[in-house]
């Protein structure tokens, strides 16, 4: 098992699916869903800032919040120039033709102390009060630190046809409310894999519970441990209607990924450039936080083996 997979299993939030088919036939997944959503329901949401109340209301109703013109033009230009330098930074990872999709992935963590520009990005994006206030309200968690921040550049190879992968299949990330966000540097279009969202699919309904029950059994019996196509009968039962989120550059998108979503398709030569914000620490086991803090300390002292650092570099930011 790869180090990154081991870290995800041991230190990460609870997996979407769990257990063999017979336990799920007995209602195991339903118990997990209802327990987590019950805990979410009794958590007291924090008092929002006046400037974010309408955005939080949007997130609660639609499951997604879109904030155009997130930064001033001056800050946006500085951030974009910094991200260009990240493409060749020592910590950057290049994955040509990732998953044989035709996409070349360039990713780089943005860590405190790397540079003045890194600190600027962390303060202006990951530390933005509006962002943290919205995430706190939608997750019903107190925000104790900013999210992990990372740079992503997805480039579709010229002259090649995009090959869909598991991320292009409509899916949810967790069986409970979970918040993710991304900041678009060059805008999202129908050509560059714009995020596809299903409005209101983050709500726990009777139809969603029927799907969770059936899907947990289907997943446990499947040999393919990745996103499975949602059967047409459940799509109709849940009333799912996809909607691509098309945005201009300098846009922040925050979503509750208990809702259904997928990555869009890419046209030849298309480029998608963004910052990815991850709030997994809000959901991870209590012991995981202590272990991650220890790993961060070792990493700052350059005592962490390179193989481990590369495998978990985003979580060390």
């Amino acid at each position: 098992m790869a180090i990154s997979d081991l870290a995800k299993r041991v230190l990460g939030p609870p997996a979407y699916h769990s257990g063999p088919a017979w336990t799920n036939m007995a209602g195991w997944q339903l118990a997990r869903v209802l327990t987590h959503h019950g805990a979410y329901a009794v958590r007291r949401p924090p008092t929002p800032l006046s400037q974010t109340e309408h955005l939080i209301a949007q997130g609660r109703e639609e499951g997604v919040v879109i904030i155009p013109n997130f930064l001033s033009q001056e800050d946006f230009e500085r951030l974009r120039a910094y991200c260009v330098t990240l493409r060749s930074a020592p910590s950057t990872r290049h994955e040509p033709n990732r998953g044989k999709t035709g996409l070349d992935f360039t990713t780089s963590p943005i860590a405190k102390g790397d540079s003045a520009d890194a600190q600027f990005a962390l303060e202006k994006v990951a530390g933005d009060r509006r962002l943290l206030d919205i995430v706190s309200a939608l997750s019903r968690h107190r925000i104790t630190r900013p999210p992990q921040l990372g740079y992503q550049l997805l480039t579709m190879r010229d002259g090649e046809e995009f090959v869909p992968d598991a991320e292009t299949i409509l899916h949810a990330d967790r069986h409970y409310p979970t918040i993710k966000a991304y900041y678009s540097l060059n805008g999202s279009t129908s050509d560059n894999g714009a995020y596809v969202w299903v409005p209101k699919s983050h709500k726990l309904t009777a139809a969603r519970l029927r799907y969770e029950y059936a899907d947990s059994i289907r997943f446990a019996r499947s040999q393919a441990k990745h996103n499975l196509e949602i059967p047409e009968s459940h799509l109709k039962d849940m009333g799912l209607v996809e909607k691509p989120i098309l945005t201009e550059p300098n846009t922040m998108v925050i979503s509750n990924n208990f809702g259904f979503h997928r990555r869009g398709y890419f046209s030849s030569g298309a480029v998608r450039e963004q910052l990815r914000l991850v709030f997994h620490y809000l959901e991870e086991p209590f012991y995981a936080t202590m272990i991650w803090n220890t790993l961060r300390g070792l990493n700052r002292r350059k005592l962490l083996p390179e193989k481990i650092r590369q495998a978990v570099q985003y979580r060390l930011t």
Side-chain angles (χ1 to χ4, degrees):
M1 181 183 294
I3 293 173
S4 57
D5 293 334
L6 180 63
K8 186 182 296 184
R9 177 174 297 185
V10 177
L11 303 178
Y16 195 131
H17 295 97
S18 172
W22 72 268
T23 60
N24 285 292
M25 291 176 70
W28 172 239
Q29 179 69 359
L30 290 184
R32 296 175 76 229
V33 171
L34 292 172
T35 298
H36 276 94
H37 280 262
Y40 175 81
V42 299
R43 286 202 300 268
R44 190 173 180 178
T47 302
L49 299 170
S50 59
Q51 68 188 105
T52 61
E53 285 182 342
H54 68 292
L55 296 171
I56 292 170
Q58 178 189 115
R60 287 174 176 159
E61 180 61 22
E62 299 295 322
V64 65
V65 178
I66 302 171
I67 311 177
N69 301 313
F70 186 72
L71 298 178
S72 69
Q73 191 61 34
E74 180 182 358
D75 287 344
F76 174 60
E77 293 299 339
R78 178 179 173 181
L79 180 64
R80 188 158 57 176
Y82 164 58
C83 288
V84 170
T85 68
L86 285 176
R87 299 174 192 174
S88 56
S91 60
T92 297
R93 179 185 299 178
H94 301 280
E95 299 177 80
N97 196 18
R98 178 172 170 177
K100 298 182 179 179
T101 58
L103 284 172
D104 293 334
F105 269 65
T106 299
T107 57
S108 180
I110 299 175
K112 184 178 180 180
D114 279 357
S115 67
D117 283 330
Q119 188 63 34
F120 170 81
L122 289 165
E123 291 175 359
K124 290 293 183 176
V125 181
D128 182 83
R129 288 191 65 198
R130 295 166 298 169
L131 167 74
L132 300 181
D133 195 56
I134 293 167
V135 172
S136 181
L138 297 183
S139 67
R140 297 192 175 191
H141 278 295
R142 187 169 62 89
I143 303 298
T144 58
R145 67 175 187 266
Q148 287 86 35
L149 184 66
Y151 173 72
Q152 286 188 331
L153 179 68
L154 284 62
T155 305
M156 183 62 205
R157 296 183 167 194
D158 280 319
E160 294 192 21
E161 186 174 345
F162 176 67
V163 178
D165 62 359
E167 291 301 312
T168 61
I169 297 173
L170 200 63
H171 66 282
D173 286 354
R174 306 286 177 190
H175 56 287
Y176 52 80
T178 179
I179 311 301
K180 282 189 177 179
Y182 69 89
Y183 172 78
S184 181
L185 287 159
N186 71 330
S188 299
T189 69
S190 56
D191 289 325
N192 73 353
Y195 191 54
V196 178
W197 178 255
V198 179
K200 303 183 180 182
S201 62
H202 66 298
K203 297 185 177 183
L204 188 62
T205 63
R208 179 62 182 269
L209 286 172
R210 287 191 289 270
Y211 165 77
E212 290 292 333
Y213 177 76
D215 192 57
S216 66
I217 299 169
R218 189 168 64 110
F219 186 85
R221 289 173 172 169
S222 173
Q223 297 298 312
K225 299 303 180 183
H226 55 66
N227 299 331
L228 302 175
E229 294 280 359
I230 302 175
E232 188 65 30
S233 59
H234 283 289
L235 288 172
K236 290 181 178 179
D237 190 26
M238 291 185 286
L240 302 185
V241 179
E242 295 182 353
K243 180 182 179 182
I245 298 180
L246 308 179
T247 67
E248 295 294 320
N250 192 19
T251 299
M252 178 69 76
V253 178
I254 308 162
S255 59
N256 178 350
N257 282 24
F258 175 65
F260 291 103
H261 58 280
R262 66 178 179 86
R263 183 194 297 144
Y265 285 23
F266 282 74
S267 298
S268 176
V271 175
R272 179 174 167 184
E273 188 178 21
Q274 63 186 27
L275 297 182
R276 180 170 176 259
L277 300 99
V278 180
F279 291 86
H280 281 337
Y281 78 88
L282 295 177
E283 307 153 19
E284 66 192 14
F286 72 93
Y287 62 82
T289 301
M290 295 185 290
I291 294 174
W292 282 120
N293 287 339
T294 299
L295 290 174
R296 285 189 197 95
L298 293 173
N299 188 52
R300 281 195 295 269
R301 295 176 179 85
K302 302 187 184 301
L303 298 175
L304 205 60
E306 181 63 15
K307 187 175 182 180
I308 294 178
R309 191 194 67 79
Q310 284 288 337
V312 296
Q313 59 179 346
Y314 271 110
R315 295 306 306 273
L316 298 176
T317 58

